[in-house]
Amino acid sequence: MDRNNVLIDGRNILRPETVESLMLAYRITGDEQYREWGWQIFEAFNKHCRVSTGGYAGIEDVQKVPAKQVDRMETFWLGETLSKSQVPPGPKRGGSDRLGFCG
């Protein structure tokens, strides 16, 4: 959004940065709100981006419902975005090689 609260680009191409940021904030602080927001994003991906024949698609404009899907699934969706939201978390604070929101 710009200074006037106008959405500059309404596309969602399944990028991992928001999910990853929330996962890291949860791991560092232990605050369950970050985990909840990450789970809500994952549920929204399932609701709006899942393709009935398998896989996921990006969205042309996140402000329009029903969402118009783009006939494309970016390679980072499985390798980065989905993996950050599905691998069970480690301890709330401290080191672990287990990351994510479900669990």
Side-chain angles (χ1 to χ4, degrees):
M1 296 215 170
D2 70 8
R3 285 187 244 183
N4 298 316
N5 292 324
V6 175
L7 185 64
I8 296 170
D9 185 352
R11 294 176 298 157
N12 178 340
I13 59 170
L14 310 173
R15 295 286 309 164
E17 288 82 4
T18 301
V19 172
E20 184 174 21
S21 297
L22 292 170
M23 183 264 309
L24 291 171
Y26 168 71
R27 294 253 326 193
I28 291 167
T29 67
D31 186 337
E32 287 290 328
Q33 183 62 61
Y34 296 115
R35 187 174 172 176
E36 179 59 31
W37 287 334
W39 186 248
Q40 289 171 4
I41 289 171
F42 178 72
E43 288 179 321
F45 278 135
N46 272 329
K47 181 177 181 178
H48 300 289
C49 300
R50 188 174 215 140
V51 178
S52 63
T53 56
Y56 289 78
I59 299 297
E60 244 181 47
D61 186 345
V62 297
Q63 297 183 98
K64 294 184 179 177
V65 177
K68 183 176 181 189
Q69 295 179 334
V70 178
D71 188 17
R72 178 180 182 152
M73 183 174 77
E74 300 289 348
T75 57
F76 49 74
W77 165 248
L78 295 173
E80 295 180 54
T81 311
L82 192 59
S83 68
K84 297 286 191 295
S85 58
Q86 284 301 290
V87 180
K92 287 184 182 178
R93 297 178 190 205
S96 173
D97 60 352
R98 302 175 78 189
L99 307 172
F101 291 112
C102 72

